[in-house]
Amino acid sequence: EAGVAQSPRYKIIEKRQSVAFWCNPISGHATLYWYQQILGQGPKLLIQFQNNGVVDDSQLPKDRFSAERLKGVDSTLKIQPAKLEDSAVYLCASSASPSSYEQYFGPGTRLTVT
Amino acid sequence: KNEVEQSPQNLTAQEGEFITINCSYSVGISALHWLQQHPGGGIVSLFMLSSGKKKHGRLIATINIQEKHSSLHITASHPRDSAVYICADRNTGNQFYFGTGTSLTVIP
């Protein structure tokens, strides 16, 4: 079974530039999560999708971050414009349902903002 | 506000030692998860607990719901156990909150 795929794996941009990350969850998984993990900290949930609807985006900085999951499968997370403090690993995870005990994580995208 | 605290933050052990990592949380939960994160970012789910104790190989996880506390134990530790161990709780609203992790280094 293929795991959660993310791209790119690494990205370096200058502040005020835009960047987009892509996630392809495990086939059939209805729930998709985006997390931000700053060095030395645990992951922080940015947004949770159930199919193509948003379940929780309370911690998403909506002035600069946006995410979509148009067909209920792949998802993109965008930052526009980026700030230095956005440097982090962005993790995508999926689960079969919101109440599923198991989350499967992708390898992450390491973003460096200079 | 839900807070998840882990201790210790960093742990160095000799190969073969028994290791304990602790996790405390502040609000009622529906499940508590232990995750392992290797260098490079990959995260693997180790356990999901809602009560009692679970064992998988050399790993044991326990939870005390009344005390809002969980522990992860590693018996006969090995250098390949070196990783960051993260505790995460899932509240009754199915929201996940993660601890900051415990960085474990096992020396041969």
Side-chain angles (χ1 to χ4, degrees):
Chain A
E1 176 184 77
V4 177
Q6 289 187 247
S7 68
R9 291 295 310 277
Y10 303 93
K11 190 74 177 179
I12 301 173
I13 62 173
E14 295 182 352
K15 59 183 179 184
R16 292 186 290 273
Q17 285 188 322
S18 301
V19 65
F21 312 128
W22 173 82
C23 173
N24 180 239
I26 291 174
S27 178
H29 278 193
T31 308
L32 185 146
Y33 308 83
W34 281 103
Y35 294 94
Q36 179 193 58
Q37 186 176 22
I38 293 172
L39 185 65
Q41 299 181 16
K44 181 183 83 171
L45 178 68
L46 292 176
I47 190 167
Q48 177 183 344
F49 290 97
Q50 172 67 11
N51 295 313
N52 60 348
V54 176
V55 173
D56 182 359
D57 64 356
S58 56
Q59 297 191 85
L60 186 74
K62 297 180 184 65
D63 58 334
R64 298 184 301 106
F65 286 64
S66 65
E68 60 183 12
R69 193 183 184 201
L70 290 176
K71 296 182 179 179
V73 181
D74 294 4
S75 177
T76 56
L77 176 69
K78 297 179 182 177
I79 307 175
Q80 180 179 7
K83 294 185 176 181
L84 295 176
E85 58 262 35
D86 298 332
S87 295
V89 174
Y90 291 85
L91 295 163
C92 179
S94 70
S95 63
S97 71
S99 59
S100 173
Y101 295 143
E102 197 76 37
Q103 280 193 35
Y104 297 84
F105 286 82
T109 296
R110 184 175 297 276
L111 173 67
T112 301
V113 182
T114 63
Chain B
K1 178 184 174 184
N2 191 5
E3 294 183 347
V4 180
E5 295 185 351
Q6 289 186 236
S7 64
Q9 283 190 311
N10 297 284
L11 182 56
T12 301
Q14 292 287 336
E15 182 174 358
E17 284 187 10
F18 180 85
I19 290 164
T20 297
I21 300 170
N22 296 299
C23 174
S24 298
Y25 52 92
S26 59
V27 300
I29 64 169
S30 62
L32 186 126
H33 298 251
W34 281 101
L35 309 167
Q36 181 190 57
Q37 186 171 31
H38 280 285
I43 293 180
V44 173
S45 179
L46 297 175
F47 293 104
M48 188 284 300
L49 292 165
S50 54
S51 65
K53 174 181 173 180
K54 286 191 176 180
K55 183 176 188 294
H56 181 68
R58 295 180 294 104
L59 301 178
I60 303 167
T62 62
I63 189 167
N64 184 317
I65 298 293
Q66 287 73 29
E67 295 185 2
K68 295 186 173 62
H69 181 270
S70 176
S71 293
L72 177 68
H73 306 286
I74 304 176
T75 62
S77 59
H78 190 276
R80 64 174 173 267
D81 297 327
S82 298
V84 175
Y85 292 85
I86 302 172
C87 163
D89 73 18
R90 182 164 62 124
N91 64 16
T92 52
N94 278 329
Q95 294 169 316
F96 283 85
Y97 294 88
F98 292 80
T100 55
T102 295
S103 178
L104 171 66
T105 303
V106 181
I107 300 170

